[in-house]
Amino acid sequence: MSSFIDFGAAKKLKDMSQNQNRITGLFQIKYPIIQGGMIWHSGWRLASAVSNNGGLGLIGAGSMYPDTLRENIQKCKAATDKPFGVNVPMLYPNLDEVINIILEEKVKVVFTSAGNPKTYTETLQKEGLKVAHVVSSTKFALKCEQAGVDAVVAEGFEAGGHNGRDETTTFCLIPNVRKHISTPLIAAGGIALGSQMKAAMILGADGVQIGSRFAATQEASSHHDWKNKIISLNEGDTHLTLKELAPVRMVKNKFYHDLEKLYETGRNVDALKETLGRARSKRGMFEGDLEEGELEIGQVSALIEEILPVEKVFENILKEYYGASVSDF
Ligand SMILES: Cc1cc2nc3c(=O)[nH]c(=O)nc-3n(C[C@H](O)[C@H](O)[C@H](O)COP(=O)(O)O)c2cc1C
């Protein structure tokens, strides 16, 4: 008979409930579960539901005009008295305006991504905000530490959305980042179950950032047909493409195959840009055009079987986290 060992995860959990985990302490939350900022999904409804359930909800500024962002922050404040934050992907325009709104609205937490961690960290910290930055390699995790961020999100290439060119998986990335930095570390990419969260904590993470699982919740602002598509996906249905522009993991639909055809005739960046066009992600994920739109989701979608309310997602993850033990060999 095999015995069961736990590699200290039970102690981490005890610390969590006493608010001593480095991530729960930093953001003043109950569980070290962050809902990743997601274009076209993470408005105030999703962010406030996550925060009300003990995690940290993030409003995704990437798909919002400045006025829409302000409105979402104000609605989020009205819907929760718990901490929440804003994700600022540095790929998009109006960045200074976005940062000003965040400061004016007195948001407490910012997660920056897809850019240089130095750009806004000091400005935000001077105003008392906590800042985390998202990276896909140990090299950039070190840059985050040098920039003085409060936490680093290390995201493996299984993740949905924009992603690292080097295709480093979460299982390889987290222990390596842990070895090289002492800043609080949040693992992202391929985490939807309590057992996956536990694995990430055992690998050295202090918390997890979850995207895909929260994309298929009732509170996500994305199109219902897209949510139904997510729960129908199987292993192998997504692929990381567009490395020449900004690598992104997406569903292999007609739009994806149109892009792949362009690769057959050579890697012409202009032709890729033309096919990509504008607003493809809005068309797919917000308007529900499942063939012509861009559908961003992680590999873990193969494990997501139901559209659930956020409360139920938390219940499932925590139940499994507490229950998951590792069998001795
Ligand atoms: C539909 C979708 C949109 C995303 N948009 C953003 C974004 O705007 N900014 C960002 O930093 N990350 C974005 N991400 C990444 C998530 O924040 C998160 O790190 C990632 O989904 C974690 O991996 P998982 O999908 O395996 O859970 C997006 C992910 C998805 C699935």
Side-chain angles (χ1 to χ4, degrees):
M1 275 255 308
S2 63
S3 63
F4 289 92
I5 54 173
D6 183 307
F7 293 116
K11 181 178 177 304
K12 278 193 179 178
L13 204 70
K14 191 163 160 265
D15 291 346
M16 261 151 67
S17 67
Q18 292 168 352
N19 215 15
Q20 286 173 357
N21 170 286
R22 294 209 295 165
I23 292 300
T24 55
L26 179 64
F27 298 125
Q28 292 299 299
I29 52 178
K30 195 167 174 194
Y31 306 113
I33 298 176
I34 319 294
Q35 162 254 307
M38 288 181 287
I39 53 165
W40 306 117
H41 294 75
S42 55
W44 67 272
R45 267 199 193 84
L46 179 58
S48 61
V50 169
S51 291
N52 281 333
N53 277 282
L56 183 73
L58 297 182
I59 294 172
S63 50
M64 295 180 185
Y65 289 118
D67 284 352
T68 317
L69 173 63
R70 192 188 292 281
E71 191 187 324
N72 270 269
I73 294 171
Q74 289 174 352
K75 286 187 171 166
C76 202
K77 278 192 226 166
T80 184
D81 56 0
K82 305 278 189 306
F84 69 90
V86 174
N87 165 240
V88 182
M90 294 161 78
L91 287 168
Y92 301 105
N94 307 322
L95 281 181
D96 287 343
E97 205 180 339
V98 163
I99 296 294
N100 278 340
I101 290 172
I102 288 169
L103 292 174
E104 280 167 19
E105 292 295 330
K106 305 208 177 312
V107 173
K108 304 265 179 351
V109 179
V110 168
F111 276 47
T112 48
S113 56
N116 186 339
K118 269 197 186 148
T119 313
Y120 291 113
T121 298
E122 208 183 319
T123 312
L124 292 166
Q125 285 175 336
K126 268 193 193 146
E127 298 297 323
L129 282 83
K130 301 291 180 204
V131 181
H133 190 80
V134 186
V135 297
S136 57
S137 70
T138 303
K139 184 174 143 196
F140 281 97
L142 280 162
K143 284 193 197 280
C144 287
E145 193 158 79
Q146 283 155 15
V149 301
D150 297 289
V152 172
V153 181
E155 185 183 61
F157 107 117
E158 317 68 337
H162 289 286
N163 219 310
R165 278 190 180 76
D166 291 337
E167 306 197 352
T168 309
T169 60
T170 304
F171 247 63
C172 293
L173 182 63
I174 298 304
N176 206 19
V177 173
R178 178 75 299 158
K179 201 163 77 183
H180 288 89
I181 66 165
S182 56
T183 306
L185 174 60
I186 299 163
I191 301 164
L193 308 173
S195 54
Q196 291 169 319
M197 175 174 168
K198 194 163 195 173
M201 304 290 266
I202 289 169
L203 292 173
D206 301 295
V208 294
Q209 173 166 296
I210 295 177
S212 296
R213 176 56 275 189
F214 286 123
T217 54
Q218 288 170 3
E219 291 87 343
S221 53
S222 43
H223 198 280
H224 193 68
D225 292 351
W226 164 227
K227 293 183 194 178
N228 274 321
K229 176 80 178 172
I230 296 174
I231 62 172
S232 77
L233 293 171
N234 293 310
E235 222 175 87
D237 282 349
T238 70
H239 189 236
L240 185 76
T241 185
L242 285 178
K243 284 193 179 178
E244 292 74 5
L245 299 174
V248 57
R249 179 173 294 285
M250 63 170 80
V251 173
K252 295 174 182 169
N253 62 352
K254 177 177 179 298
F255 169 61
Y256 165 85
H257 289 294
D258 288 348
L259 287 173
E260 290 304 293
K261 267 189 213 133
L262 291 177
Y263 282 110
E264 284 166 21
T265 55
R267 286 166 187 251
N268 180 332
V269 171
D270 288 336
L272 284 173
K273 274 189 188 157
E274 201 185 311
T275 302
L276 188 59
R278 293 181 67 82
R280 283 284 190 159
S281 58
K282 181 181 186 192
R283 190 164 166 186
M285 299 184 286
F286 194 67
E287 294 169 355
D289 185 340
L290 301 182
E291 286 311 320
E292 294 293 343
E294 180 183 329
L295 304 174
E296 300 179 12
I297 203 73
Q299 287 186 347
V300 80
S301 53
L303 290 166
I304 300 171
E305 289 166 353
E306 277 179 287
I307 302 167
L308 295 173
V310 165
E311 187 180 9
K312 188 72 185 157
V313 171
F314 267 82
E315 194 186 308
N316 290 349
I317 290 176
L318 292 169
K319 207 156 76 185
E320 206 192 20
Y321 184 100
Y322 282 93
S325 337
V326 184
S327 58
D328 204 356
F329 49 84

